[in-house]
Structure formats: structure tokens, C-alpha cells
Amino acid sequence: MNPASPGKVCTSLNFTHLSCNQRLIVTVRIYPLVIKSTNGKKTVVAALRVSGLSKTFSNDKKALDDVSLRVENGEIVALIGASGSGKSTLLRHVSGLISADRSSAGEIFVFDRKIQSGGSIAREAADIRCDIGMVFQQFNLVGRLSVLTNVLTGLLGKMPKMRGTLARFNKQEKQLAVRALERVGIVDKALQRGSELSGGQQQRAAIARTLVQGAKMIVADEPIASLDPSSARRVMDILSELNRSDGITVVVSLHQVEYALKYCPRTVALRDGKVVYDGPSEALTPDFLSELYGAESEELFLPGLNPSPKKKQKRTRVTNGAGKRRNVPATAANALA
Amino acid sequence: MTDTPLHPRPDQPRLAQMAKADAIVVPKPPLLEQMRSWALGLAVAALLVWSWSPAEMSNFIDLFTDWRNMAEFGAGFLSPDFHYWEAYLEQMVVTIQIALWGTALAVVVGIPFALLSSSNIAPWWIVQPVRRMMDAFRAINEIVFALLFIVAVGLGPFAGVMALFVHNTGVIAKLFSEAVESIDPRPIEGIRATGASRLQEVVFGVIPQVIPLWSSFTLYRLETNVRSATVLGIVGAGGIGHFLYENIRSFQYGQTAAIIIIIVVSVSLIDIVSARIRAMLV
């Protein structure tokens, strides 16, 4: 057990965040909080703490610009933003797959363990990653390995190094993998190769991998962007169910705001590498989004949810013209249900 | 102009078609480009002229003036002498066995070197020295290695195995690392994100992706090594090459022909079989 988290779990009220444009929004939510006790002083352990994170890519483009974020244990948070707004970059920083700018003082803590700071990945990053289940847009399964083996790789960080390297998984471990596959509903595919599955099934296998891993937080980088609508719903249902019944913290980047509205009480919105909104998802009305994103907000809505093609035409013209606010049905999320 | 059909209907007058065809301008490549291809042709011709007399190319006339030698040679080949076929076959099998061991050792030792010389796996300060070392292994022919190993371990097949092993380690490392460098990085990231170690990333993320290509390359090298092993015997490193050389030197053309036929048939058989297996793998 890692030294940071053996605190006792209790529930408490949590008052969230002032939104960036000074609207006072108070929501009441119940979270299981992990209390760390050091020398009698008790502090709440956040699942994820990001502070002052900046990332500049080689083309001098600022992908992240002084991003700070705190996600409590047990939350399910959506991260939205247009393409290129820095969602993926932020999530890949969280699991230490890329490092921030050397010049920045950016730090990332996962369950109070520092995974990177000042542009260098912590030595124990591999150990910290065991707590983070990463789900990718392209699933990142190993196509030629069976689904079962792909799921079993989730155990690599926890089992003895030698046995893991030689792929000597024992019966209990295999049973654990089968149980995870049962949970995501693809146990019948266990012996097929990863590449033989449909996109939605591959993504469910990837989630099963994070379950076997025993991840306390799932970081999902556009998990549904390459899926058809019904597979997308299925994957989001699973993530939301894991959050509710297992208390796994979920940070999920989404391209379309409708999914955020439906599945996540809290949304963090990024634009050009900056956090432009952090607060309840209900507040993200179409009007407010176009205030945040201007014409870019167009791509944040699911296509085909417009009442009629005529209206869609009209709307495009308006945005192209004076950049006026658009009329998107506020009940867009209902279409998903 | 624009509404002229590309293929005029036959009922149109021929002359009119010609006139219209004249109006079409065929684009020519710029002068600089034409000159460049001319210069390239000239350079190749100059190289060939330069190499003519050092390579004693003027002796090609001997092929015709000394045709009797060639005819004697040919006559001997037309009547192959299979009197000692059992010995030849036995040596051919030894040749294949040398190739098998040489390839196997080269693969086992070549895999770590291949991974260390892949720029997506290892840092440059490991990749560059390892690559240069593999270049050196590859640059030296098997025959040269065979001569060196004969000095070290004495005459016989083992020197041949060692010669194939060292040269092929260089070849395998290069072929395998090229396969590794062209893999999809995303599955590796997936493995890394579970908290796996670097070695485990390679075992679970890299190896499954390159296995088909690696097996195909291995079979291809086995084919090549059987061919190479047939000449190792010439310098005394075991296999059928020894018989071949002795028979040519003592003008036993009939027996030489028999040996060559055995070599051609076995090498072809191995090529066919391994090509079949490779087709199944890729």
C-alpha cells in the first residue's frame, strides 16, 4: 500500500468552484474523501492536482498555458475543448507520458504523489502509473495479442518483474481478467486477437485493462471520439458506472458537450491551452459556450442533433457572418438519452 | 478549345482533326532537368570507361578464342558423375546444418542488438555505437570471418558456423531494427500507462508487433546462409564446398557437375519451402 493514501474514507459536502466569469454556482455533492493524517494534521487528498502546467511544442505553439486543476477523489470530470485546445496534452502529462516545459514550475500530483515537476518525470512514475488507468482514443491495445493477454498487461506494474516479463500469469490473475471482461460485457471475446474486435469492443477491453490494474483513477483521452454513437454511449455508461459503484475517479476528455452534460456533473473547458471554465456542466448552455469559444463552439456539438437541416444552414450563415450567437437546442443532451 | 472532344468522332474530317492536334502544346521538362539526366548518363559512362582496363575487360575475347576449354568444361558438365553421391549428400546436409546453427545464433544474439540500435527504443548514445558495430560485422564477408575462425578454432564446420554467426548478427540486427522502427507506438504507450517496466514494454508492446516480419527475415537469412555455407568449405570451414573446390582443381568436371546439381537442387528446395512459410507469416 502506498504511504499517501491509507487514510480513512468518509463523506462530506463539497462546495465547488467559482466559475471563471464570476458566476457563483454552488452545487452540493457527496464525495468519498480520503483524509491523510500527518502529525495529527488532517488534509484531504485530491485524486489529481495540477498546478502551473505549461507545455510548448517544438513549433513554438503553446499547447498548455499555466493550467491548474484539482480533481477530488471519486469525481467524474469532463474535459472539453475544440481540437488543438490541449485536452490530450494535459491528460498525457497526468500519466507522465510527456513532460512539461523545463522552464515552468508546473507540478502534477496523483493521490498526493508527484508524477512530474519542473519538466522532469518522477523516478517512481512507473509505480504511480499503476494507480492511473489510461484509456486512449485509439484504444492502444496490442493487436496481435489476445484480448485476455491485453487485459492481463494491466497487472504488469503490480506483479513481480520477472514473472511479468515472462508473461507467467497465474490462475487468480487470469480469473481477475475474466471478471473484468465480464464487467465490460466482452468475456466471449477473451481469446480473440485485439485487432479482431470492433472499435467499441476494443475500448471496453482497454477499460477492462484499467480495472485489472486496480486503477484508482481512470484518465480517458477522447475515449469515444472514434466510436459510433451506440458504442460511445456504451463506453460512457461503463465509465460512469465504474465511477458510481467503485468510486473510481474519472477524468474524461470529450469532444462533444452533450456527453459531458449527460455523464459528468463537472466540466473543465480548455481553450488554446488555458482553462476557460471549471464548474457544473449544466451551466454550459449553447449561449455560454459560444461566449467561451466564439465560432469554434460549433464543433463542440454532436452533428445531426439539429431540429432540421434548414435551421442548420441558417445557423452556419449567421456564425460565418457577424459571429452572432447561435441557436442550438438547449435540450441537445436529451437526444442522447 | 475546351469543348473539343478528346477522341473525335470518326465522322469528323481527318484533316480537321490534324489541325486541331497541332494546336495542342505538349509540355516539356525544363532544360535544367534534361541536362541533369544527361550529366548522370555521362558520369556512369565515364566510370565504366575508367574501370575498363583495370578490370581487364579486354580479355573478353578469350571467351571466344579459347572456346575449346569452354567446350571441354561443358562436355564434362553434360555427363555428371554421381559415383560418390552419398558423400556429396552427406556434406550437403552438413552445409545446411552449418547454416541452421549460424542463423540460430545470429538471431539470438542479433535481437538484443537490434533493439539497442532502434532509435524508438534506445537513446541515441546507445543506438549510434551499436549501429556502427553492427556495420562492422556486416561489412566483413563470411569467407574472411571463416579464415579468421579457422585460425582460432581450427579447420571444420564449427569455424563455418562462427563465420555465419558473426556476419549475420550484423545483418539481423539491421533488418530487425528496421522492423522495430516502423511499429505503431500507441500499443507501447498503452503498456507503459499500466506502470510496466521498459523491458515489459518491449516484450508486450514491441515483440508481438514485429514477430511476423522477424520470422520472415529469419527464413530469408536461412536461405542466404545455405548458399553462403556452400562456399565456406573452399577455405576449409566445413560443408560441401571442400569437395567442390577439390574437384574443380583436379579437373574432375563430371563430379563437379554432380556436386553443383546437388547444391542447386537443395538450395532451390529450401528457397521454395521457406518462401511458402514466409507467405503464410506475412
Side-chain angles (χ1 to χ4, degrees):
Chain A
M1 195 90 195
N2 82 61
S5 60
K8 73 172 200 205
V9 173
C10 69
T11 51
S12 103
L13 296 181
N14 180 47
F15 294 91
T16 32
H17 334 277
L18 274 177
S19 78
C20 65
N21 51 355
Q22 305 303 313
R23 300 175 183 191
L24 180 65
I25 297 155
V26 180
T27 49
V28 179
R29 219 174 303 149
I30 297 165
Y31 292 130
L33 293 181
V34 179
I35 311 285
K36 186 175 74 170
S37 149
T38 29
N39 325 327
K41 222 178 107 187
K42 287 183 177 176
T43 41
V44 178
V45 174
L48 172 64
R49 205 142 46 80
V50 179
S51 63
L53 192 72
S54 294
K55 176 70 180 179
T56 317
F57 281 118
S58 48
N59 54 3
D60 264 358
K61 192 184 165 280
K62 259 206 143 91
L64 291 177
D65 190 359
D66 196 24
V67 170
S68 295
L69 185 67
R70 184 186 164 102
V71 176
E72 301 302 337
N73 194 16
E75 263 192 297
I76 176 162
V77 179
L79 193 60
I80 65 157
S83 340
S85 58
K87 305 184 296 282
S88 294
T89 314
L90 175 58
L91 293 184
R92 293 161 64 81
H93 273 89
V94 168
S95 54
L97 293 175
I98 38 179
S99 55
D101 288 345
R102 291 207 165 275
S103 53
S104 82
E107 285 182 319
I108 298 178
F109 290 85
V110 175
F111 294 104
D112 239 18
R113 294 159 85 196
K114 184 156 66 186
I115 192 158
Q116 62 167 293
S117 66
S120 58
I121 311 272
R123 199 177 279 271
E124 66 213 358
D127 199 31
I128 302 174
R129 282 187 198 123
C130 296
D131 286 345
I132 313 169
M134 188 91 187
V135 175
F136 301 84
Q137 181 178 351
Q138 293 301 332
F139 331 123
N140 293 16
L141 299 181
V142 185
R144 287 184 60 84
L145 295 181
S146 71
V147 172
L148 190 70
T149 313
N150 265 298
V151 172
L152 281 165
T153 59
L155 288 163
L156 288 175
K158 297 199 295 191
M159 56 196 285
K161 282 271 172 295
M162 198 59 195
R163 200 156 63 79
T165 308
L166 297 174
R168 292 266 164 268
F169 300 105
N170 63 30
K171 190 166 180 204
Q172 275 117 0
E173 286 161 343
K174 284 179 183 161
Q175 285 170 333
L176 193 68
V178 169
R179 218 165 54 210
L181 283 171
E182 265 167 11
R183 254 194 109 170
V184 297
I186 49 167
V187 75
D188 52 323
K189 312 279 183 220
L191 292 180
Q192 285 185 32
R193 278 186 182 177
S195 55
E196 288 166 0
L197 266 58
S198 73
Q201 291 166 339
Q202 287 195 42
Q203 196 59 294
R204 277 142 73 189
I207 295 174
R209 179 166 68 184
T210 69
L211 282 179
V212 161
Q213 200 182 322
K216 292 194 272 178
M217 172 167 73
I218 291 179
V219 173
D221 180 10
E222 301 233 12
I224 56 171
S226 354
L227 302 181
D228 60 89
S230 79
S231 304
R233 265 200 306 277
R234 187 92 195 248
V235 164
M236 287 307 294
D237 283 340
I238 291 172
L239 285 178
S240 144
E241 203 264 328
L242 292 176
N243 171 255
R244 257 181 292 120
S245 56
D246 296 33
I248 297 175
T249 310
V250 177
V251 181
V252 52
S253 77
L254 295 166
H255 207 84
Q256 271 102 22
V257 75
E258 286 89 347
Y259 288 104
L261 284 171
K262 180 160 191 258
Y263 292 99
C264 311
R266 175 183 167 200
T267 294
V268 175
L270 283 176
R271 185 189 181 180
D272 299 331
K274 286 196 181 81
V275 176
V276 289
Y277 175 78
D278 183 352
S281 305
E282 308 95 79
L284 292 168
T285 58
D287 286 353
F288 181 43
L289 274 172
S290 72
E291 196 177 296
L292 288 177
Y293 288 98
E296 268 179 40
S297 69
E298 183 107 6
E299 62 172 284
L300 295 173
F301 291 94
L302 280 176
L305 284 180
N306 316 304
S308 75
K310 240 185 199 171
K311 257 195 175 164
K312 187 187 176 187
Q313 256 179 4
K314 188 178 149 208
R315 216 175 48 216
T316 328
R317 213 183 318 132
V318 169
T319 7
N320 288 350
K324 270 194 243 164
R325 280 184 208 161
R326 302 178 305 128
N327 255 333
V328 173
T331 52
N334 300 345
L336 283 170
Chain B
M1 184 75 208
T2 45
D3 48 28
T4 313
L6 205 57
H7 302 287
R9 266 177 265 116
D11 56 14
Q12 279 181 320
R14 260 268 142 86
L15 229 93
Q17 284 182 31
M18 300 279 279
K20 280 201 174 136
D22 272 349
I24 299 167
V25 181
V26 179
K28 269 188 189 166
L31 191 67
L32 197 77
E33 232 169 80
Q34 289 184 50
M35 277 169 65
R36 203 181 298 157
S37 47
W38 271 101
L40 197 71
L42 270 175
V44 172
L47 275 174
L48 287 172
V49 169
W50 175 64
S51 312
W52 179 268
S53 69
E56 295 191 353
M57 283 303 293
S58 51
N59 287 3
F60 80 97
I61 296 159
D62 296 355
L63 279 177
F64 305 102
T65 50
D66 301 345
W67 67 273
R68 264 171 224 286
N69 290 351
M70 295 296 290
E72 194 187 331
F73 221 65
F77 274 117
L78 284 180
S79 49
D81 175 5
F82 279 102
H83 190 256
Y84 300 109
W85 69 272
E86 277 172 323
Y88 301 156
L89 208 62
E90 192 189 307
Q91 282 305 303
M92 190 64 223
V93 172
V94 171
T95 308
I96 295 171
Q97 286 163 332
I98 292 172
L100 277 172
W101 266 105
T103 313
L105 288 175
V107 168
V108 169
V109 177
I111 285 175
F113 281 125
L115 293 169
L116 290 176
S117 60
S118 303
S119 53
N120 54 346
I121 303 283
W124 68 268
W125 49 269
I126 290 178
V127 169
Q128 287 306 325
V130 173
R131 275 195 193 166
R132 294 296 82 78
M133 190 165 81
M134 294 299 110
D135 285 349
F137 283 6
R138 253 192 340 272
I140 300 164
N141 191 283
E142 292 100 329
I143 293 282
V144 181
F145 275 125
L147 288 167
L148 293 173
F149 278 111
I150 285 168
V151 176
V153 301
L155 290 166
F158 183 63
V161 170
M162 291 307 290
L164 287 180
F165 158 47
V166 178
H167 177 80
N168 278 281
T169 299
V171 179
I172 291 274
K174 185 178 172 68
L175 289 175
F176 280 21
S177 85
E178 271 169 13
V180 170
E181 284 181 345
S182 61
I183 57 169
D184 181 358
R186 289 176 304 202
I188 306 176
E189 228 167 39
I191 302 287
R192 182 177 308 155
T194 65
S197 70
R198 298 283 295 178
L199 184 60
Q200 289 169 342
E201 283 173 30
V202 172
V203 170
F204 290 92
V206 179
I207 308 277
Q209 289 193 61
V210 292
I211 276 292
L213 215 51
W214 279 10
S215 338
S216 165
F217 284 150
T218 303
L219 283 165
Y220 172 68
R221 285 316 296 175
L222 180 65
E223 289 171 41
T224 317
N225 285 340
V226 172
R227 277 194 293 272
S228 304
T230 57
V231 293
L232 286 175
I234 292 178
V235 295
I240 201 163
H242 176 67
F243 278 175
L244 184 67
Y245 189 49
E246 287 304 314
N247 280 310
I248 293 176
R249 282 215 305 187
S250 53
F251 309 108
Q252 305 287 339
Y253 294 138
Q255 289 175 19
T256 307
I259 295 170
I260 287 180
I261 288 168
I262 286 177
I263 292 176
V264 169
V265 170
S266 347
V267 170
S268 306
L269 271 177
I270 284 174
D271 279 14
I272 291 166
V273 172
S274 96
R276 282 270 169 82
I277 303 176
R278 278 195 290 142
M280 284 195 309
L281 286 171
V282 179

